[in-house]
Amino acid sequence: MKIKNLHIYGFGKLSDVKMNLSSSIQVIYGVNEAGKSTLMAFIHGILFGFPTKQQSELRYEPKVGTKYGGNITLETKSGDIWVERVKGKAVGDVTVRLSDGTQGGEELLKDLLKHMDKALYKSIFSFNIHGIQGVSQLKGEDIGTYLIAAGTIGTDAIVKSEQQLQKELDRLFKPSGRKPELNEMLQTLKDQEKELKKSMQYNQTYEKLQLDNQNLVQDINELQEKVAASQLEIQKLEQLKQDWVLLKERKEILQSLNNIGEVTFPIDGLKRMEKLEDQLQVAANQLYVLDVRKSEYEKELTQVLPNKLIAEHEENIQLLIEKWPQIVKWQEEIIRREEEIIKWNEQRKVIKRKIHIHDMSDLPFLDLSIDMKERIRSATKDYYYLKSLQKELDKQLEIENRRLQELENQCINLETALLNEDEYRALSENQQKYISLQKEYQHLQDQMKFIKLAKKPKQKENYLPTVLFYLLFIGFFGWSISTNQFVYMIGALIGIIILSYSVWINHKKTNEHNVSQKNHVLEAEKILTEMNKIGDKGQLFDEQQKLRQQWKGLVLEIENQQTRCQEKEQNVTVWQRDWKKVEEELGKIKEQLGLQKDFSPEQLSYAFELLNELAALDNHLKRSESLKTELLKKVANWECDLKDILGILQIDGLSTEEGIIRLKNSLLKERENKLIYREIINKNEDVETEYLKWKNEYKAIEIAIKDLLHEAGVENNEDFRKRGKDYEEIQSLQANLKMINNKISIENISIFDQFSSLNEVEEKLSINKNNVKNNNEKLSQLHKNLAAVKYEIEQLEDGGTFTEKLHEFYRSKSIFNDKAKEWAKIALAKEIIHRTMERMKKERFPKVLEKAEEFLNYLTDGEYIRLFLKPTGQFLVERVDQLSFEPDELSQATAEQVYVALRLALVEVLQDEYPFPLIIDDGFVNFDNERTKRIVQLLLSRSQTSQILYFTCHQHILQLFPQKNIYMLNEEHRYSMLK
């Protein structure tokens, strides 16, 4: 079984999604929240029902207003199965449609899925990383059990259930325990029973009263049985009395049946005989009518016998008649062709005059191809282009030459205003020297201004501060002498010395500034004298510089203009070369088209079209003349055939049209006769068939009558009717007997023979009534005695302690019995699970182990070669070096590979019985690269027998699968739809 395709109407975030999953292995890739889990839940939901609101599973109802549900197409050996499930009651409303049109609901789907539910499907055919990683989360002693469960039923749920049931049993009862509930309750009952027995010793009469009570109850029961038996006998006798008349009539009917004896007669024999006799008469009448019809048809056949000559040549006559419309068309075509030939010849003459062609012999050999048309178009285009370009180039060359002459005139005029080179050089040197002296003079002026500015403030501050400091130091020196402060005295002396040195230095600098100022004035006067001698000719120099710059610009522009003139001359040269090529090409074209050399190039395209038209006309003429000749030949042949047929039929002296009409009428009449002849033959055959049918019917009816006589054991119809009356009498008696038997009971029939008359029945009925009356009186007395005994027992039990202890004992015993029943139910359930697991270990697990060994050997590259289960239930894995390991001794990755091998082996073993798709959700992310490649190769090989859907969010795994088997869930499908 394969999931061929699916359509999600609305499920979770997915809306209006269609997917094709027809590949034997389909990898579905998507990032987190792309919709992989939603897609898996959709597959489970459509096949096994949506989760109810009471269940903990997600229902994936759409948040927006889309339809909840979808459909899946399953591909099976018996054809495609379409399954649709939408929102409805409980798990949804499902519709199943088979390839043969059969339609059903949930029951049909369960039959198709072999009554597998969602939990069992997930445990066997659907596993993910959580199931694989569950191996590493178990204790050492539980790993083996987990792997055994994976190899037998696909999940450890049943093992966990067995363990849970064992915990419940241990909670309720342990053989050697004290804490469990049943152990405590049992001990309590024993204690209560001891206390009850002690209390009973104080009631010595209690046992005697109990014995009397039992005897009285026994006597009452015996009397009640007797009364009941007597009442039952009374009822039987009353019924017998009531049915006495019917029983007597029944006896008389049996006596009459015995007197008639056994009669053999067919069921509804008389009616069947009457019906057969009527049918026999109808058949005889029909045979007579059919004989009359046969003779009438034979007479009609002699009147419509076919004409042999027309019959022999019917095909040729029909062919001639059918061709006649075509012959008429051909004759019209011949006339039309003759008119066309005249018209086309006139058109040829006109065209020849237009293009001046007299010799038409070369026309078939002229090049009138599309290539020639393109050549003409290109050549004439170049011709027009070059013709227009010639004027443009001449005009441009004239403009450029004129511009060059103007520039040369401007250059000559400018050269007359320029100084010669020596004069310009002398002017340039004098001007540069003048500018240098001017800068030097300006520099001296700036220095003199600086000296003046530096000298003015010093003249203001020269004396006052100095005098004040002198006075200060002298006063300080005098104070230090008067006070004998030698340290201060020395400081004052040092200050006076420093101040004196400063005054001397300032005086010296002032003298130097005065000398420097005098030197600068002398030098400035000297520079000014030299400048006046040279004179300022800056204006003349600037004018000469501008003229020289203009001259250089004109020279450069003249050179550029000369270049442009040369380019224009070169363009003219190129044009002359291109013009020559175009003239040569046009000459070749004229020659190839058979035109004169002086033919105008402007008319080449028109001439080409006319030549094409002329060639087409020539072709039309040839075809028309050929077709005309062929049609004349066909018409002549047909007329010859017509003449031959008319001669055979001895029809002479008629025109073609009259001969065709005569042939049509003769053929039509012959066909009408033939149809009538065939119709009569068919009717005659139908009559023969009908006659044979009625004849067989007549014989069959005679045989049926003989069979009826044989069944009745008589020779003729009269004896048959007599036997039938006896049979009807027996049937009437038996019907009355059956009616009587229905009204009376079988028991009364057996009792009836015991009595000779009704009086005996009444006497026995009276005796039984008296017995019931006496026994009822005895019962009344015994009930009184029993009530007295019970009252005395109640008085003893109401004594206080004994009654309370007795009540408590029975209450505890009742609670103990309820708990014991609960323990028995749990023990029975645990035993059923245990026996189921043992049966699976013996029947299914060996096959699974054999396959799992093969898969594990391949996954581990031959490192682990064998899996086996010891009689003690211990699960072992054997390595290639013959060492055996318990599951908890293996690495996590190896234990997970053992789990995967067992799950895949279980699917393989169950494939014939349950051929369902296998769904894996990122099951191998903990495997290394090599073992990942191996598990992928194993899945690819397993996909030949069962479909595999592998969901993943890891891109590196995609490289291991064929590209065509990968389905991408892109980013936008998180919120809208699948790709």
Side-chain angles (χ1 to χ4, degrees):
M1 179 184 290
K2 285 184 181 180
I3 297 176
K4 191 174 181 181
N5 50 58
L6 56 84
H7 182 191
I8 303 175
Y9 307 149
F11 198 81
K13 69 183 70 175
L14 303 179
S15 175
D16 193 21
V17 176
K18 295 180 181 179
M19 290 182 65
N20 185 347
L21 303 176
S22 57
S23 301
S24 57
I25 184 166
Q26 188 72 55
V27 180
I28 300 171
Y29 169 77
V31 296
N32 292 335
E33 297 186 3
K36 300 188 298 300
S37 300
T38 306
L39 188 56
M40 284 189 285
F42 172 76
I43 294 172
H44 294 149
I46 295 297
L47 295 179
F48 303 104
F50 301 137
T52 61
K53 293 182 180 179
Q54 289 75 27
Q55 292 176 319
S56 60
E57 288 186 65
L58 290 175
R59 285 174 55 80
Y60 290 96
E61 289 195 58
K63 298 295 184 184
V64 294
T66 56
K67 188 178 181 181
Y68 179 41
N71 67 69
I72 289 178
T73 302
L74 302 173
E75 182 181 336
T76 64
K77 293 180 179 179
S78 58
D80 290 352
I81 300 172
W82 184 79
V83 182
E84 181 189 53
R85 191 181 294 273
V86 294
K87 187 174 182 180
K89 296 180 180 178
V91 295
D93 295 335
V94 67
T95 303
V96 181
R97 188 163 59 244
L98 306 184
S99 57
D100 60 359
T102 303
Q103 188 164 323
E106 197 73 54
E107 291 302 320
L108 178 58
L109 181 59
K110 287 181 179 179
D111 292 340
L112 293 171
L113 297 176
K114 302 190 176 180
H115 295 276
M116 178 171 287
D117 60 8
K118 186 190 296 184
L120 185 58
Y121 179 83
K122 284 184 175 181
S123 67
I124 298 176
F125 296 97
S126 179
F127 65 92
N128 54 24
I129 185 64
H130 304 299
I132 296 175
Q133 290 180 343
V135 179
S136 61
Q137 298 170 1
L138 297 173
K139 297 179 181 178
E141 62 272 12
D142 295 332
I143 296 177
T145 306
Y146 184 80
L147 291 175
I148 291 171
T152 51
I153 59 174
T155 179
D156 63 338
I158 194 168
V159 177
K160 289 181 180 178
S161 298
E162 186 179 10
Q163 293 172 351
Q164 185 65 31
L165 290 173
Q166 184 60 48
K167 288 180 183 178
E168 284 294 313
L169 290 174
D170 293 342
R171 183 182 65 81
L172 290 173
F173 177 73
K174 283 185 179 179
S176 58
R178 293 183 180 179
K179 295 289 185 181
E181 293 183 28
L182 284 175
N183 295 71
E184 292 178 351
M185 294 173 70
L186 193 60
Q187 185 62 42
T188 302
L189 279 174
K190 289 180 181 178
D191 295 342
Q192 288 178 349
E193 189 176 12
K194 288 179 182 178
E195 291 296 325
L196 187 62
K197 286 180 180 179
K198 287 180 183 178
S199 298
M200 288 177 66
Q201 291 175 359
Y202 296 104
N203 296 279
Q204 297 177 354
T205 58
Y206 184 78
E207 290 183 1
K208 182 178 180 301
L209 290 171
Q210 285 287 358
L211 182 61
D212 293 342
N213 183 40
Q214 291 176 2
N215 292 333
L216 286 169
V217 169
Q218 185 176 357
D219 292 341
I220 289 170
N221 289 337
E222 289 176 356
L223 276 174
Q224 285 177 343
E225 288 176 1
K226 290 180 180 178
V227 170
S230 298
Q231 287 177 342
L232 181 61
E233 184 71 18
I234 290 169
Q235 288 177 0
K236 290 179 180 180
L237 291 172
E238 289 285 354
Q239 186 64 37
L240 180 61
K241 183 179 177 182
Q242 184 179 349
D243 295 341
W244 185 264
V245 177
L246 293 173
L247 288 168
K248 189 173 181 181
E249 184 179 354
R250 178 179 178 278
K251 186 175 181 182
E252 292 173 353
I253 289 171
L254 290 173
Q255 185 64 37
S256 299
L257 288 172
N258 189 37
N259 294 334
I260 295 172
E262 186 177 355
V263 176
T264 302
F265 195 75
I267 298 171
D268 293 335
L270 291 174
K271 292 181 181 179
R272 286 163 64 189
M273 177 61 75
E274 290 177 0
K275 186 177 179 180
L276 287 172
E277 287 176 345
D278 292 340
Q279 290 175 352
L280 188 65
Q281 185 61 40
V282 171
N285 294 336
Q286 287 293 333
L287 288 173
Y288 174 76
V289 171
L290 291 172
D291 277 333
V292 173
R293 284 188 189 173
K294 281 169 64 178
S295 60
E296 291 176 353
Y297 288 149
E298 287 174 358
K299 290 178 182 179
E300 291 177 2
L301 283 173
T302 57
Q303 298 173 3
V304 290
L305 290 174
N307 188 330
K308 292 182 179 180
L309 287 174
I310 294 176
E312 287 175 5
H313 299 87
E314 182 180 359
E315 186 175 349
N316 294 333
I317 294 170
Q318 180 64 34
L319 189 60
L320 286 169
I321 293 169
E322 289 175 355
K323 278 188 176 182
W324 168 241
Q326 186 63 43
I327 295 298
V328 173
K329 289 182 181 179
W330 286 346
Q331 289 172 344
E332 292 173 354
E333 183 70 16
I334 289 168
I335 295 169
R336 191 174 64 82
R337 290 292 173 179
E338 288 174 347
E339 292 173 353
E340 285 180 351
I341 289 168
I342 295 169
K343 183 181 70 173
W344 289 336
N345 279 324
E346 290 297 325
Q347 290 178 1
R348 286 178 73 214
K349 290 176 183 179
V350 173
I351 293 170
K352 283 164 67 178
R353 286 196 297 271
K354 284 182 180 179
I355 56 178
H356 307 292
I357 293 178
H358 305 288
D359 186 9
M360 298 295 294
S361 59
D362 294 335
L363 183 61
F365 307 104
L366 295 180
D367 185 2
L368 299 175
S369 62
I370 296 175
D371 183 45
M372 174 56 75
K373 184 178 182 180
E374 180 61 25
R375 282 177 62 194
I376 293 171
R377 187 195 65 78
S378 178
T380 52
K381 181 182 177 183
D382 293 342
Y383 172 80
Y384 286 120
Y385 170 71
L386 291 174
K387 198 170 181 180
S388 63
L389 185 62
Q390 180 185 14
K391 295 178 182 179
E392 183 69 24
L393 289 176
D394 291 342
K395 185 178 180 182
Q396 290 177 359
L397 183 59
E398 182 182 355
I399 292 169
E400 297 299 333
N401 287 331
R402 193 184 303 119
R403 175 62 179 164
L404 179 61
Q405 187 65 39
E406 289 174 357
L407 291 173
E408 288 175 348
N409 293 334
Q410 290 177 11
C411 188
I412 292 169
N413 294 332
L414 194 61
E415 285 174 353
T416 57
L418 287 173
L419 296 173
N420 59 36
E421 194 64 29
D422 293 335
E423 291 174 347
Y424 177 75
R425 192 179 296 112
L427 179 63
S428 176
E429 288 175 356
N430 288 333
Q431 185 64 23
Q432 288 178 359
K433 187 176 180 180
Y434 180 84
I435 292 170
S436 177
L437 290 172
Q438 193 178 27
K439 288 181 179 179
E440 190 174 351
Y441 179 78
Q442 185 65 36
H443 180 64
L444 288 172
Q445 291 289 330
D446 293 339
Q447 286 183 346
M448 289 170 66
K449 287 179 181 179
F450 178 73
I451 290 169
K452 288 178 180 181
L453 290 172
K455 189 176 179 181
K456 285 180 181 179
K458 288 183 179 178
Q459 289 175 354
K460 293 179 180 178
E461 300 175 357
N462 196 12
Y463 300 107
L464 183 60
T466 305
V467 171
L468 290 174
F469 276 111
Y470 266 118
L471 292 174
L472 179 64
F473 283 123
I474 291 169
F476 191 66
F477 180 77
W479 175 76
S480 61
I481 291 174
S482 63
T483 57
N484 294 323
Q485 297 290 334
F486 297 104
V487 175
Y488 292 114
M489 183 180 66
I490 293 168
L493 284 174
I494 292 170
I496 292 168
I497 292 167
I498 291 170
L499 185 61
S500 298
Y501 178 76
S502 174
V503 170
W504 180 78
I505 290 297
N506 286 333
H507 181 72
K508 185 178 179 182
K509 285 184 178 181
T510 302
N511 291 334
E512 288 176 355
H513 280 305
N514 292 332
V515 173
S516 177
Q517 186 175 9
K518 289 178 181 179
N519 291 334
H520 286 152
V521 170
L522 291 174
E523 188 173 355
E525 290 176 351
K526 184 179 178 181
I527 291 169
L528 189 60
T529 302
E530 190 172 356
M531 285 173 63
N532 291 330
K533 182 180 178 180
I534 293 170
D536 186 6
K537 297 181 180 179
Q539 184 176 359
L540 178 63
F541 181 74
D542 291 340
E543 289 176 356
Q544 287 294 319
Q545 274 192 326
K546 288 180 181 178
L547 289 172
R548 283 183 175 275
Q549 288 295 331
Q550 290 175 4
W551 180 81
K552 287 180 181 179
L554 281 172
V555 170
L556 182 60
E557 193 172 350
I558 287 168
E559 290 176 355
N560 292 335
Q561 187 63 31
Q562 287 174 344
T563 303
R564 284 196 290 272
C565 289
Q566 289 174 359
E567 288 176 355
K568 298 301 178 183
E569 289 172 355
Q570 189 176 359
N571 289 340
V572 170
T573 305
V574 171
W575 177 88
Q576 290 171 347
R577 186 176 63 248
D578 292 343
W579 180 260
K580 188 176 179 181
K581 287 182 181 179
V582 169
E583 283 184 334
E584 290 175 356
E585 177 66 15
L586 289 171
K588 290 178 183 178
I589 291 171
K590 292 175 186 177
E591 183 180 354
Q592 290 175 357
L593 293 178
L595 300 173
Q596 297 176 5
K597 292 182 180 180
D598 59 349
F599 193 85
S600 174
E602 288 89 345
Q603 299 296 324
L604 269 178
S605 296
Y606 182 58
F608 180 80
E609 296 296 332
L610 290 176
L611 285 171
N612 267 319
E613 187 178 347
L614 190 60
L617 287 172
D618 198 45
N619 291 332
H620 287 322
L621 279 170
K622 289 179 180 178
R623 284 199 299 272
S624 293
E625 289 173 352
S626 175
L627 183 59
K628 174 186 170 184
T629 304
E630 185 180 351
L631 291 175
L632 287 170
K633 186 178 178 181
K634 289 181 178 179
V635 171
N637 292 335
W638 180 83
E639 289 176 346
C640 183
D641 293 339
L642 177 63
K643 187 176 180 181
D644 292 341
I645 290 295
L646 291 174
I648 292 169
L649 297 178
Q650 299 177 356
I651 301 173
D652 297 324
L654 298 177
S655 64
T656 303
E657 291 79 359
E658 291 172 346
I660 286 295
I661 293 169
R662 184 73 173 271
L663 282 177
K664 278 185 179 180
N665 293 334
S666 300
L667 185 61
L668 183 61
K669 184 177 180 182
E670 184 62 25
R671 286 181 175 174
E672 288 176 355
N673 289 339
K674 191 181 288 186
L675 288 173
I676 295 169
Y677 184 82
R678 180 58 59 86
E679 185 179 353
I680 294 170
I681 290 292
N682 291 337
K683 288 180 179 179
N684 195 32
E685 289 175 355
D686 292 340
V687 169
E688 287 287 350
T689 304
E690 190 74 11
Y691 184 84
L692 184 61
K693 171 189 166 186
W694 281 106
K695 193 170 184 180
N696 292 333
E697 182 74 15
Y698 188 86
K699 291 179 180 179
I701 294 169
E702 287 182 336
I703 292 170
I705 291 173
K706 289 179 180 179
D707 291 340
L708 274 179
L709 294 174
H710 180 71
E711 286 181 29
V714 295
E715 296 293 334
N716 50 53
N717 292 355
E718 203 60 40
D719 293 339
F720 182 84
R721 289 188 178 84
K722 185 178 179 182
R723 181 65 61 89
K725 290 179 180 179
D726 293 341
Y727 179 75
E728 286 178 352
E729 186 178 354
I730 292 172
Q731 289 292 99
S732 176
L733 292 172
Q734 287 178 346
N736 293 334
L737 180 63
K738 185 177 181 181
M739 182 181 63
I740 291 170
N741 287 336
N742 290 334
K743 291 181 179 180
I744 61 177
S745 65
I746 298 173
E747 190 176 0
N748 284 342
I749 295 172
S750 60
I751 297 172
F752 177 75
D753 295 332
Q754 297 176 6
F755 299 94
S756 58
S757 64
L758 184 59
N759 293 332
E760 291 182 10
V761 175
E762 291 175 347
E763 288 176 2
K764 192 169 184 181
L765 183 61
S766 176
I767 293 169
N768 281 298
K769 286 181 178 180
N770 291 329
N771 291 336
V772 168
K773 183 179 179 181
N774 294 332
N775 289 330
N776 282 333
E777 291 174 356
K778 292 178 181 178
L779 274 173
S780 177
Q781 186 60 42
L782 288 173
H783 279 301
K784 290 179 182 179
N785 296 337
L786 180 62
V789 171
K790 282 185 176 182
Y791 176 76
E792 292 181 10
I793 292 172
E794 287 175 1
Q795 289 296 320
L796 291 174
E797 289 178 350
D798 288 342
T801 304
F802 177 75
T803 304
E804 293 173 0
K805 288 182 179 180
L806 182 65
H807 176 72
E808 184 65 25
F809 174 74
Y810 281 117
R811 191 181 70 82
S812 299
K813 189 174 181 181
S814 175
I815 295 171
F816 176 80
N817 288 336
D818 292 340
K819 283 291 180 183
K821 288 178 182 178
E822 183 182 348
W823 180 88
K825 290 177 182 177
I826 296 171
L828 180 61
K830 179 180 175 297
E831 182 63 21
I832 291 171
I833 292 174
H834 179 71
R835 289 185 182 181
T836 303
M837 285 295 294
E838 289 299 319
R839 180 174 60 81
M840 288 183 178
K841 286 180 185 178
K842 292 177 182 178
E843 297 177 1
R844 182 184 295 172
F845 199 57
K847 298 177 184 178
V848 174
L849 278 182
E850 183 180 351
K851 273 289 177 186
E853 285 177 358
E854 178 186 339
F855 294 160
L856 184 63
N857 189 357
Y858 176 76
L859 290 175
T860 60
D861 196 16
E863 186 176 353
Y864 294 91
I865 59 173
R866 190 177 171 214
L867 301 169
F868 57 92
L869 187 67
K870 285 188 173 182
T872 58
Q874 187 180 15
F875 186 78
L876 296 176
V877 183
E878 185 177 310
R879 205 164 62 188
V880 69
D881 55 3
Q882 306 299 319
L883 289 177
S884 298
F885 299 90
E886 292 184 7
D888 59 321
E889 296 174 332
L890 299 171
S891 67
Q892 179 184 345
T894 305
E896 289 178 1
Q897 286 157 8
V898 173
Y899 175 83
V900 171
L902 286 168
R903 288 298 301 268
L904 292 178
L906 177 61
V907 173
E908 184 78 11
V909 169
L910 296 176
Q911 190 61 40
D912 293 336
E913 187 176 357
Y914 300 102
F916 300 135
L918 177 62
I919 300 176
I920 304 173
D921 183 13
D922 259 345
F924 320 117
V925 294
N926 291 334
F927 291 10
D928 58 33
N929 290 336
E930 184 59 32
R931 293 191 177 182
T932 301
K933 290 179 182 178
R934 289 186 169 273
I935 187 60
V936 170
Q937 289 301 318
L938 182 60
L939 291 178
L940 289 172
S941 64
R942 292 301 94 203
S943 66
Q944 302 299 321
T945 56
S946 63
Q947 186 185 33
I948 298 175
L949 302 180
Y950 185 77
F951 293 80
T952 182
C953 63
H954 299 281
Q955 286 190 345
H956 68 276
I957 292 181
L958 301 182
Q959 302 170 1
L960 305 176
F961 291 93
Q963 191 67 29
K964 64 180 181 179
N965 297 108
I966 299 174
Y967 202 102
M968 308 291 287
L969 299 178
N970 58 20
E971 191 75 16
E972 65 187 33
H973 290 100
R974 296 185 182 190
Y975 309 106
S976 58
M977 57 180 292
L978 291 174
K979 184 176 179 181

